[in-house]
Amino acid sequence: MTSVKSLLSSFLLLVGAAQALKFDLEATSSYHGNQRRCIRNFVNKDTLVVVTATLDGYKGDGMNVNMHISDSHGNDYGKAKDIAGEQRIVFTSHHDAAFDVCFENHLTGSKYVENPRRHVELDIDIGADAKDWSAIQATEKLKPLETDLRRIEELVGEVVGEMDYLRAREQKLRDTNESTNNRVKWFGMATTFLLIALWGWQIMYLRAYFRSKHLI
């Protein structure tokens, strides 16, 4: 049993090994327009996503940081203005699409800022990683081993679903490629027949012309 628990712990450690993305967000004045920094990720339809951003600084420090989450289909999943400390946005995706987590940092002009930047730690949890397994364990009265198995089952299901999506996308691209090849083939054949017909018509026309001039 101990070896099974160790194996499960190692597996969960590997699948959850992604660390938070850390970067500095420079502040800009209104004269420079909106300069956004975006992080893109892909998510399948009807998937739970938890975006957690942790920023240093505080409200009223002369900088105003806004966060906006949207996908490539134009769906808005959350907007947070003048954030500091920890900010969390939870949403369920509407499409199989890429989504962007964008940040803007503006100087408010209310006070002098010696170092006009905010440090950001961004953590994006998708699918099984986004669930509160401690709450699930307490609600459903699961044992730790059962909770780990349940989480692994969902993680494996997500991997299988992703593979099915990639397989379907590959099939769609293959069908499109074959359709394009067939169209190019028929277009080439039609062009060849048209050129042959034009060549024959030119010969007949020139022959009739020369005969009318009694040149042949």
Side-chain angles (χ1 to χ4, degrees), residues 13-76:
L13 182 63
L14 288 174
V15 298
Q19 297 181 353
L21 178 64
K22 302 178 182 180
F23 58 92
D24 289 328
L25 188 64
E26 297 284 345
T28 59
S29 64
S30 58
Y31 299 103
H32 294 87
N34 293 331
Q35 296 185 6
R36 311 177 75 188
R37 181 160 186 179
C38 298
I39 291 85
R40 174 165 293 185
N41 210 327
F42 183 86
V43 67
N44 292 323
K45 183 179 179 181
D46 298 329
T47 301
L48 179 66
V49 180
V50 177
V51 178
T52 305
T54 305
L55 293 79
D56 62 357
Y58 56 92
K59 293 185 179 181
D61 62 356
M63 291 178 287
N64 190 335
V65 178
N66 302 325
M67 181 171 68
H68 180 210
I69 303 176
S70 61
D71 66 13
S72 56
H73 290 267
N75 298 302
D76 288 329

Side-chain angles (χ1 to χ4, degrees), residues 174-192:
R174 186 184 299 112
D175 293 341
T176 302
N177 186 37
E178 292 177 357
S179 176
T180 302
N181 289 337
N182 288 332
R183 292 181 182 180
V184 170
K185 180 182 68 176
W186 287 110
F187 177 77
M189 293 176 61
T191 302
T192 301

Side-chain angles (χ1 to χ4, degrees), residues 66-137:
N66 302 325
M67 181 171 68
H68 180 210
I69 303 176
S70 61
D71 66 13
S72 56
H73 290 267
N75 298 302
D76 288 329
Y77 293 116
K79 293 181 180 180
K81 296 183 178 181
D82 193 15
I83 61 176
E86 182 177 297
Q87 179 69 38
R88 179 171 296 178
I89 296 179
V90 181
F91 65 91
T92 300
S93 58
H94 300 327
H95 299 278
D96 295 329
F99 68 92
D100 295 323
V101 181
C102 297
F103 295 89
E104 297 175 349
N105 189 4
H106 303 287
L107 292 171
T108 61
S110 60
K111 59 186 299 186
Y112 172 73
V113 181
E114 181 178 358
N115 188 18
R117 62 171 55 90
R118 288 273 191 90
H119 182 72
V120 182
E121 293 186 11
L122 180 64
D123 190 10
I124 301 177
D125 295 317
I126 300 175
D129 290 331
K131 294 184 178 181
D132 187 351
W133 289 101
S134 297
I136 293 175
Q137 180 180 355

